[in-house]
Amino acid sequence: CMANGYSSMVFDQRIFVSFNPFNVFVTSPEVKPGCVLRQANVQELEKRKLVTRSEADTCRKGMNTFAYVGSLDDKPEVSCVYHSEEAENQFMLDPKRSNLGDGTRPKPGDELTNQPAFGGGGGQ
């Protein structure tokens, strides 16, 4: 992987949505080692006949690249992927958009003492 791309962790997870009644159910993620290819190295997949020229062109049209799980020599799971800048640590840039809490930051030393579970008032 290091010769052609970036080592990565892959989280395989399924989300089931029921509509009547509306509910969301999530499986535990299965974590696997993976590789994200640099766009310049997509031809490596074509050479190994893991993707067709048409699949490679379609993926690259949107400035995407490929990633895979497994070994290139042993039938890897190949996916067209895109780089999501939207997801990059949004909670650090704008806590109000993170939905991880109420968007307030505790004062130094108040991290635990100001939460209801620790006898505090919950940050308000």
Side-chain angles (χ1 to χ4, degrees):
C1 179
M2 295 298 288
N4 297 310
Y6 315 102
S7 294
S8 63
M9 291 175 39
V10 179
F11 296 86
D12 279 344
Q13 188 171 32
R14 288 183 179 211
I15 298 172
F16 295 84
V17 179
S18 67
F19 296 105
N20 192 11
F22 180 81
N23 281 299
V24 178
F25 302 89
V26 182
T27 63
S28 295
E30 184 179 343
V31 182
K32 305 173 186 177
C35 183
V36 177
L37 290 177
R38 289 187 286 277
Q39 285 182 335
N41 294 330
V42 169
Q43 74 275 3
E44 186 65 29
L45 296 176
E46 290 179 73
K47 274 196 295 188
R48 294 171 182 257
K49 300 197 183 313
L50 297 170
V51 297
T52 65
R53 164 69 86 185
S54 174
E55 290 169 327
D57 290 344
T58 299
C59 185
R60 279 187 257 185
K61 262 186 205 169
M63 295 301 292
N64 299 327
T65 189
F66 284 94
Y68 63 89
V69 174
S71 168
L72 284 178
D73 298 321
D74 190 26
K75 300 179 184 172
E77 293 177 45
V78 178
S79 301
C80 180
V81 297
Y82 67 95
H83 180 240
S84 173
E85 293 179 12
E86 189 67 31
E88 289 182 7
N89 293 323
Q90 184 62 43
F91 69 95
M92 293 184 76
L93 299 173
D94 185 358
K96 291 179 184 169
R97 292 183 59 202
S98 70
N99 294 326
L100 294 176
D102 61 5
T104 61
R105 294 184 184 177
K107 296 176 189 149
D110 284 350
E111 289 87 359
L112 295 179
T113 59
N114 205 21
Q115 296 179 15
F118 295 94
Q124 297 296 332

